[in-house]
Amino acid sequence: MKKTALIFGVTGQDGAYLSKFLLKKRYKVYGVKRRSSIINTQRIDDIYKDINYKSNFKIFYGDLTDASSILNLIKNVKPNEIYNLAAQSHVKVSFEVPEYSAEVNGLGTLRILEAIRSLNLEKKIKFYQAGTSEMFGRTKGKFQNEKTPFHPVSPYGVSKCFAHWITKNYREAYGIFACNGILFNHESPIRGETFVTKKIIQALVKIKKGNQKKLFLGNLYSKRDWGHAKDYVEAMWKMLQQNKPNDYVIGTGKTFTIKDFVNRAAKKIGFKLEWIGKGINEKGVNTENKKVIVECRKRYFRPLEVDYLKGNASKAKKLLNWYPKMTIDDLIEEMVVYEEENNNDKY
Ligand code: NAP
Ligand code: GDD
């Protein structure tokens, strides 16, 4: 019998990669999308279009703020596995919509767990919660692993800590097979356009094509551990295939500043950058024509910042046999090629 997976957040970056991964593993995949005023299935249109009665991929409306939709979906689908990838996932935006971020990311997770419990499906459904390295926040030490204490510094990070602990709580209290993935930043060509990697590559490609003049950024000196989303959805699935539920850190173990990322992306696209100035006045100059193409703007800084992230995924390597396959330069290469081929928009 085919396994069935229910994915909350199917229209997002990870939802799209996970759907395709599970379809290849011959799952029936049911995705949950929220209502929006324009069609927002671009990332899954290639599998969604093929809609017929035999399709292994179906989409339903639902929303993490609506307990009844969650309960009905789980009751009707009775999936073997649930992946909760739905979230207000933008850290900076969470400072502007803190209550909504907590509602969706924190209480939304509780609503799914409570639906599983109230339908008496505790022993039938395995549950994955999309946790994040943002939970570490103000962290000390050279790297973060499962034993590193949480000290979140954004409403997003705080809301994800609630989701983490409530997932653990339902595992311990009711015996639900529930896993927390603590994933470090992961990117891809279909990354949301307001996350820094996509924003940098999209802008530099447009500048190269003459369709944009400048890239405006915030903090150039925070450090991130960036992997590829394709590798990370495999880790989610592996967590649910174990004999026992557990929590795992997933990262590459390498860390780079935003400025490093800009330099590497610029090189790939064919720019040589020289940096001048300091602080908010720091600028990236295209050495070929002496034009400033990167500037900093206050509005892209956050009230508090996570300065340093570097994941130690030894536990996942040992227990899940999970290893990241793609390096930062593989990731940049794939994102640049995609942007060069697909983006001809004028600024
Ligand atoms: P994403 O691209 O922003 O996707 C988020 C998904 O959640 C989208 O499908 C979005 O729908 C959906 N969603 C938002 N609010 C919802 C609501 N109220 N009800 C139902 N669905 C809702 O995020 P991602 O990068 O794929 O990340 C997936 C998950 O992993 C998120 O929970 C994120 O917080 C977490 N995470 C991500 C990373 C990373 O680096 N990517 C690292 C650690 C953890 P729309 O398409 O309609 O907006
Ligand atoms: N978005 C953005 N835009 N970030 C900028 C900019 C800018 O113009 N300029 C500098 N940055 C810096 C941010 O201050 C942050 O330090 C870093 O770039 C990365 O920002 P994002 O790409 O927005 O990602 P994030 O690290 O805040 O959060 C992502 O990773 C988390 C895992 O650690 C998101 O995917 C979260 O959902 C995820 O949990």
Side-chain angles (χ1 to χ4, degrees):
M1 262 261 284
K2 274 188 176 160
K3 277 195 194 172
T4 304
L6 182 63
I7 303 178
F8 289 89
V10 75
T11 55
Q13 170 188 258
D14 291 5
Y17 278 104
L18 181 65
S19 298
K20 290 165 201 183
F21 176 85
L22 293 176
L23 286 171
K24 277 204 188 124
K25 294 243 168 245
R26 312 199 61 75
Y27 275 62
K28 277 191 177 176
V29 179
Y30 294 87
V32 184
K33 71 163 188 167
R34 58 181 174 163
R35 198 266 159 182
S36 68
S37 65
I38 51 164
I39 288 173
N40 64 346
T41 54
Q42 293 85 340
R43 292 182 174 114
I44 42 172
D45 275 346
D46 49 335
I47 45 178
Y48 186 36
K49 269 182 201 148
D50 180 27
I51 190 137
N52 60 53
Y53 70 102
K54 277 187 185 154
S55 174
N56 283 325
F57 183 68
K58 293 200 166 68
I59 294 187
F60 300 99
Y61 280 110
D63 199 301
L64 280 202
T65 60
D66 183 314
S68 62
S69 68
I70 297 170
L71 188 88
N72 286 328
L73 279 166
I74 298 176
K75 190 163 84 182
N76 294 333
V77 174
K78 288 201 183 60
N80 304 97
E81 296 169 8
I82 294 180
Y83 295 85
N84 178 27
L85 311 182
Q88 190 304 90
S89 71
H90 203 283
V91 175
K92 169 85 170 21
V93 173
S94 79
F95 286 99
E96 281 143 51
V97 285
E99 192 181 326
Y100 177 73
S101 303
E103 179 69 50
V104 175
N105 305 355
L107 293 181
T109 306
L110 172 59
R111 288 186 187 105
I112 300 175
L113 288 162
E114 190 50 20
I116 296 173
R117 191 193 68 78
S118 61
L119 291 166
N120 298 318
L121 294 171
E122 299 98 321
K123 301 284 177 247
K124 300 237 161 77
I125 295 179
K126 293 182 171 182
F127 176 74
Y128 172 83
Q129 166 55 21
T132 163
S133 47
E134 273 291 307
M135 297 187 296
F136 296 123
R138 187 166 296 159
T139 143
K140 296 191 183 90
K142 282 196 176 146
F143 57 79
Q144 297 85 39
N145 68 12
E146 294 80 4
K147 295 199 173 100
T148 307
F150 295 150
H151 184 151
V153 296
S154 64
Y156 171 80
V158 174
S159 69
K160 286 284 188 174
C161 283
F162 176 84
H164 175 94
W165 286 110
I166 202 68
T167 298
K168 225 171 150 81
N169 179 247
Y170 271 58
R171 175 165 86 211
E172 290 168 2
Y174 306 115
I176 297 178
F177 191 112
C179 298
N180 286 296
I182 306 173
L183 272 52
F184 284 63
N185 299 50
H186 46 280
E187 321 291 312
S188 73
I190 57 166
R191 181 63 147 148
E193 295 175 357
T194 59
F195 295 100
V196 80
T197 56
K198 179 76 171 178
K199 181 175 166 181
I200 291 168
I201 288 174
Q202 203 166 54
L204 291 179
V205 168
K206 280 188 189 173
I207 293 169
K208 191 74 184 171
K209 289 183 178 178
N211 291 338
Q212 185 169 327
K213 289 200 166 63
K214 278 182 192 169
L215 160 65
F216 296 104
L217 291 171
N219 183 4
L220 296 174
Y221 292 98
S222 53
K223 288 185 131 187
R224 289 291 180 273
D225 174 340
W226 282 294
H228 195 297
K230 208 172 181 177
D231 286 342
Y232 287 44
V233 298
E234 184 175 4
M236 297 174 188
W237 173 77
K238 284 193 162 190
M239 288 178 210
L240 298 196
Q241 312 314 309
Q242 304 308 302
N243 292 328
K244 284 188 185 152
N246 214 327
D247 304 329
Y248 300 89
V249 156
I250 300 294
T252 69
K254 302 212 161 52
T255 190
F256 300 89
T257 63
I258 309 307
K259 193 169 160 181
D260 291 332
F261 192 95
V262 174
N263 284 329
R264 281 168 188 261
K267 193 170 169 207
K268 185 91 237 153
I269 293 161
F271 289 119
K272 189 159 186 290
L273 284 183
E274 187 194 354
W275 293 88
I276 55 166
K278 278 213 157 76
I280 194 82
N281 296 317
E282 187 159 9
K283 294 178 173 61
V285 181
N286 178 2
T287 50
E288 215 174 280
N289 57 13
K290 304 289 177 222
K291 280 193 179 159
V292 172
I293 58 169
V294 188
E295 281 191 32
C296 295
R297 285 290 180 272
K298 241 185 169 169
R299 68 172 174 275
Y300 295 119
F301 284 77
R302 293 148 190 211
L304 280 175
E305 177 67 281
V306 175
D307 293 320
Y308 178 83
L309 290 175
K310 187 176 176 188
N312 179 343
S314 302
K315 180 175 170 185
K317 286 176 183 163
K318 189 168 165 215
L319 300 184
L320 304 180
N321 192 27
W322 178 86
Y323 291 85
K325 297 182 190 88
M326 292 182 76
T327 66
I328 189 168
D329 289 318
D330 297 334
L331 171 70
I332 289 174
E333 160 106 36
E334 197 186 312
M335 290 178 79
V336 167
V337 169
Y338 179 89
E339 220 55 53
E340 285 174 342
E341 285 173 2
N342 292 288
N343 199 331
N344 290 307
D345 295 348
K346 295 243 186 268
Y347 187 50

